[in-house]
Amino acid sequence: MIVLPQGAQTRLWQQMVAAGYLEEPAAGRAPADTRIRGTLAGMRHIARTEGLRTLWRGLSPTLVASGPSTVIYFVGYDYLRQWMGKQMRQHDALVSYEKYASLFAGCIARTAAASAISPIELVRTRMQSSATHDFATVMRGISTEINNGGLRTLWRGLVPTLWRDVPFSAVYWFGYEQWKERVYEPMFATMDVPLGASRGELKSDVLARLATAFCSGASSGIVAATLTNPFDVAKTRRQIERHASPKSNTVQHTTLTQVVRHIVATEGVRGLYAGLAPRLMKVAPSCAIMISSYELGKSLFAK
């Protein structure tokens, strides 16, 4: 799909009608505008043209990847943050940098998790990229690519993924600790929940931790998703270009930097924030649910 300014669209339509490629619309009837405006409109369009089940295409590999990815990511982050914080406290010159331990731990944990599940992520992306690609078709295509290019094919696209996910994790975990310490812990510290049981004080403490983690995760996720959305746009555009037909008019770029420059040149800075609304709709609740579930699990299993 080629996106043109409104005036250029009209001229192109007139030229194609004059050349006989298109029929002139009936009198008084304007050419149909098929552009999708908004997230909900896009979801309705997909459900109407490809079926409601299409909205859940790629769910199976996503569920398969979520287990090992979450374990590596959250547990790795927790241990790394504690270890780094301990090491920094033992050296006077590094004590003031302890608050950045969450940033470095998030980067390392995300790199490890993304590298581990990259093959599954490849399958999920292929299944979601086409209306005709079911699991069997995708696996046959990947098998052919492995025969031609070796096992490293399974990690194709890892570098652009890291460009998106590592900055997100750095901003997210640093922001999460700051939101929790400075805003939500003081807010929920005096939470009064009338549970009525003898262990009400303990339950109230767990509920306060759960609310703190939930709100901190959502707030930090929104900030991180907004700041790193240009990386997500560039990664998606680059993947589309790599899978485009050689006969198409899609411009091929070899690096993310070239993709970003092309987007800014053709669409302006606003183009780097395309798709921000659906990304926030996904990231904010998922970050909140995952981190609060993790904190709740730690509280329950620690007793």
Side-chain angles (χ1 to χ4, degrees), residues 24-54:
E24 182 69 34
R29 181 180 176 185
D33 187 356
T34 60
R35 290 178 295 176
I36 297 175
R37 302 177 184 275
T39 303
L40 295 179
M43 295 174 66
R44 287 196 297 267
H45 175 76
I46 293 173
R48 183 171 59 252
T49 58
E50 303 181 31
L52 187 63
R53 293 179 58 185
T54 307

Side-chain angles (χ1 to χ4, degrees), residues 178-246:
Q178 298 301 312
W179 279 103
K180 183 173 69 172
E181 178 182 349
R182 300 175 181 271
V183 179
Y184 293 111
E185 278 186 345
M187 180 185 300
F188 294 111
T190 57
M191 175 182 287
D192 185 15
V193 182
L195 298 174
S198 59
R199 298 177 61 189
E201 183 178 352
L202 176 62
K203 292 182 179 179
S204 180
D205 178 65
V206 172
L207 185 59
R209 290 185 59 183
L210 181 63
T212 298
F214 187 92
C215 295
S216 300
S219 300
S220 185
I222 291 173
V223 175
T226 302
L227 294 178
T228 62
N229 196 74
F231 294 104
D232 186 54
V233 173
K235 172 185 176 294
T236 303
R237 296 289 181 90
R238 188 164 181 260
Q239 285 182 326
I240 293 174
E241 290 175 1
R242 294 189 66 171
H243 294 293
S245 170

Side-chain angles (χ1 to χ4, degrees), residues 83-207:
W83 180 80
M84 287 182 178
K86 181 179 179 181
Q87 297 298 317
M88 290 179 176
R89 287 191 297 271
Q90 292 177 354
H91 299 81
D92 295 338
L94 299 177
V95 171
S96 59
Y97 297 99
E98 183 184 351
K99 62 182 179 181
Y100 298 109
S102 57
L103 187 150
F104 296 117
C107 290
I108 297 173
R110 173 50 70 185
T111 300
S115 300
I117 68 164
S118 183
I120 304 177
E121 180 71 13
L122 176 66
V123 175
R124 183 187 69 83
T125 303
R126 294 291 179 85
M127 290 183 67
Q128 292 180 336
S129 63
S130 174
T132 59
H133 282 187
D134 55 14
F135 181 75
T137 305
V138 168
M139 292 307 299
R140 283 196 296 268
I142 293 177
S143 177
T144 301
E145 292 182 17
I146 292 175
N147 292 334
N148 296 333
L151 287 176
R152 65 180 182 179
T153 302
L154 296 175
W155 280 266
R156 178 180 298 167
L158 176 61
V159 173
T161 299
L162 293 178
W163 269 104
R164 178 194 65 182
D165 290 353
V166 171
F168 175 89
S169 296
V171 175
Y172 171 74
W173 285 113
F174 179 75
Y176 171 77
E177 299 292 345
Q178 298 301 312
W179 279 103
K180 183 173 69 172
E181 178 182 349
R182 300 175 181 271
V183 179
Y184 293 111
E185 278 186 345
M187 180 185 300
F188 294 111
T190 57
M191 175 182 287
D192 185 15
V193 182
L195 298 174
S198 59
R199 298 177 61 189
E201 183 178 352
L202 176 62
K203 292 182 179 179
S204 180
D205 178 65
V206 172
L207 185 59

